[in-house]
Amino acid sequence: MAGEQVSARVDSWIWSVRLTRTRSIASDACRGGHVRVNGVRVKPAHAVRAGDEIRLRHEGRERIVVVSRIITKRVGAAVAAECYVDKSPPPPPREEAVTVAVRARGAGRPTKRERRSIDRLLGRRE
Protein backbone atom coordinates (compact mmCIF):
# COMPACT_ATOMS: atom_id res chain seq x y z
CA MET A 1 0.00 0.00 0.00
CA ALA A 2 1.20 3.54 -0.67
CA GLY A 3 2.74 5.23 2.35
CA GLU A 4 4.18 2.04 3.92
CA GLN A 5 7.56 2.47 5.58
CA VAL A 6 9.81 0.79 8.13
CA SER A 7 9.22 3.53 10.75
CA ALA A 8 7.10 6.64 11.19
CA ARG A 9 6.68 9.50 13.66
CA VAL A 10 4.47 8.49 16.56
CA ASP A 11 2.16 11.53 16.25
CA SER A 12 1.71 10.92 12.52
CA TRP A 13 0.99 7.21 13.05
CA ILE A 14 -1.56 7.85 15.84
CA TRP A 15 -3.38 10.29 13.56
CA SER A 16 -3.11 8.02 10.50
CA VAL A 17 -4.82 5.08 12.23
CA ARG A 18 -7.56 7.36 13.57
CA LEU A 19 -6.80 7.18 17.31
CA THR A 20 -7.06 11.00 17.34
CA ARG A 21 -9.07 13.33 15.14
CA THR A 22 -6.19 15.64 14.20
CA ARG A 23 -2.43 15.38 14.06
CA SER A 24 -2.08 18.42 16.31
CA ILE A 25 -4.10 16.63 19.01
CA ALA A 26 -1.72 13.67 18.69
CA SER A 27 1.31 15.99 18.95
CA ASP A 28 -0.14 17.75 21.99
CA ALA A 29 -0.80 14.37 23.65
CA CYS A 30 2.86 13.42 23.09
CA ARG A 31 4.12 16.74 24.47
CA GLY A 32 1.80 16.42 27.47
CA GLY A 33 3.16 12.98 28.38
CA HIS A 34 0.00 11.09 27.42
CA VAL A 35 1.71 8.80 24.89
CA ARG A 36 4.05 5.95 25.82
CA VAL A 37 5.86 3.66 23.41
CA ASN A 38 6.99 0.41 25.05
CA GLY A 39 6.47 2.01 28.48
CA VAL A 40 8.53 5.17 27.78
CA ARG A 41 7.06 8.67 27.39
CA VAL A 42 7.92 9.96 23.95
CA LYS A 43 8.04 13.18 21.95
CA PRO A 44 6.02 13.60 18.72
CA ALA A 45 9.02 12.80 16.48
CA HIS A 46 9.77 9.44 18.12
CA ALA A 47 10.09 6.61 15.57
CA VAL A 48 7.48 3.85 15.72
CA ARG A 49 8.11 0.38 14.29
CA ALA A 50 5.97 -2.72 13.85
CA GLY A 51 5.64 -4.60 17.14
CA ASP A 52 5.78 -1.48 19.37
CA GLU A 53 3.14 -1.10 22.09
CA ILE A 54 1.58 2.37 22.21
CA ARG A 55 -0.42 3.61 25.19
CA LEU A 56 -2.47 6.74 24.57
CA ARG A 57 -4.56 8.55 27.18
CA HIS A 58 -7.17 10.53 25.26
CA GLU A 59 -10.70 11.74 26.06
CA GLY A 60 -10.69 10.15 29.50
CA ARG A 61 -9.78 6.70 28.21
CA GLU A 62 -6.55 4.76 27.83
CA ARG A 63 -5.98 3.08 24.48
CA ILE A 64 -3.40 0.28 24.29
CA VAL A 65 -2.47 -0.80 20.77
CA VAL A 66 0.30 -2.89 19.25
CA VAL A 67 1.58 -1.64 15.89
CA SER A 68 1.20 -4.24 13.17
CA ARG A 69 1.79 -2.01 10.12
CA ILE A 70 3.36 1.40 9.60
CA ILE A 71 1.46 4.05 7.64
CA THR A 72 1.91 7.82 7.41
CA LYS A 73 -1.11 8.83 5.34
CA ARG A 74 -4.57 8.91 6.90
CA VAL A 75 -6.69 6.03 5.62
CA GLY A 76 -10.25 4.80 5.98
CA ALA A 77 -11.43 3.27 9.24
CA ALA A 78 -11.46 -0.29 7.87
CA VAL A 79 -7.86 -0.08 6.64
CA ALA A 80 -6.74 1.75 9.80
CA ALA A 81 -8.10 -1.04 12.01
CA GLU A 82 -5.80 -3.51 10.22
CA CYS A 83 -2.70 -1.49 11.17
CA TYR A 84 -2.85 -2.27 14.90
CA VAL A 85 -4.02 -4.83 17.43
CA ASP A 86 -6.27 -3.21 20.04
CA LYS A 87 -5.59 -4.40 23.59
CA SER A 88 -7.50 -1.58 25.31
CA PRO A 89 -9.86 -2.28 28.19
CA PRO A 90 -13.51 -1.89 27.19
CA PRO A 91 -14.86 1.65 27.52
CA PRO A 92 -17.02 2.34 30.58
CA PRO A 93 -20.78 2.13 29.98
CA ARG A 94 -22.43 5.43 29.13
CA GLU A 95 -25.17 4.98 31.75
CA GLU A 96 -22.76 5.91 34.56
CA ALA A 97 -23.75 9.56 34.28
CA VAL A 98 -25.14 10.85 37.58
CA THR A 99 -28.72 12.02 37.51
CA VAL A 100 -28.96 15.70 38.28
CA ALA A 101 -31.98 17.35 39.85
CA VAL A 102 -33.22 20.11 37.55
CA ARG A 103 -34.95 23.20 38.85
CA ALA A 104 -36.35 26.09 36.90
CA ARG A 105 -33.99 29.04 36.84
CA GLY A 106 -35.08 31.72 39.29
CA ALA A 107 -37.42 29.39 41.18
CA GLY A 108 -35.75 30.26 44.48
CA ARG A 109 -34.73 27.87 47.21
CA PRO A 110 -36.29 24.41 47.19
CA THR A 111 -39.12 23.76 49.61
CA LYS A 112 -38.76 21.07 52.26
CA ARG A 113 -40.73 18.63 50.10
CA GLU A 114 -38.61 19.39 47.01
CA ARG A 115 -35.39 19.04 49.02
CA ARG A 116 -36.48 15.63 50.31
CA SER A 117 -37.33 14.44 46.79
CA ILE A 118 -33.91 15.68 45.59
CA ASP A 119 -32.24 13.77 48.44
CA ARG A 120 -34.16 10.62 47.49
CA LEU A 121 -33.14 11.05 43.85
CA LEU A 122 -29.49 11.41 44.81
CA GLY A 123 -29.63 8.46 47.22
CA ARG A 124 -28.97 10.47 50.37
CA ARG A 125 -30.45 9.52 53.73
CA GLU A 126 -33.40 11.50 55.03
Side-chain angles (χ1 to χ4, degrees), residues 92-111:
R94 291 182 180 231
E95 288 78 42
E96 286 186 14
V98 178
T99 322
V100 178
V102 178
R103 287 186 45 81
R105 186 166 173 84
R109 292 176 55 180
T111 63

Side-chain angles (χ1 to χ4, degrees), residues 16-18 74-84:
S16 297
V17 297
R18 298 177 172 265
R74 193 160 168 99
V75 293
V79 177
E82 297 171 358
C83 295
Y84 61 88

Side-chain angles (χ1 to χ4, degrees), residues 13-40:
W13 187 85
I14 288 172
W15 167 74
S16 297
V17 297
R18 298 177 172 265
L19 294 178
T20 59
R21 284 183 294 147
T22 65
R23 185 167 172 189
S24 64
I25 292 173
S27 295
D28 291 343
C30 292
R31 281 190 218 101
H34 302 293
V35 177
R36 293 178 180 261
V37 176
N38 299 325
V40 180

Side-chain angles (χ1 to χ4, degrees), residues 57-62 92:
R57 279 185 310 167
H58 180 62
E59 296 179 346
R61 182 174 174 216
E62 184 172 25

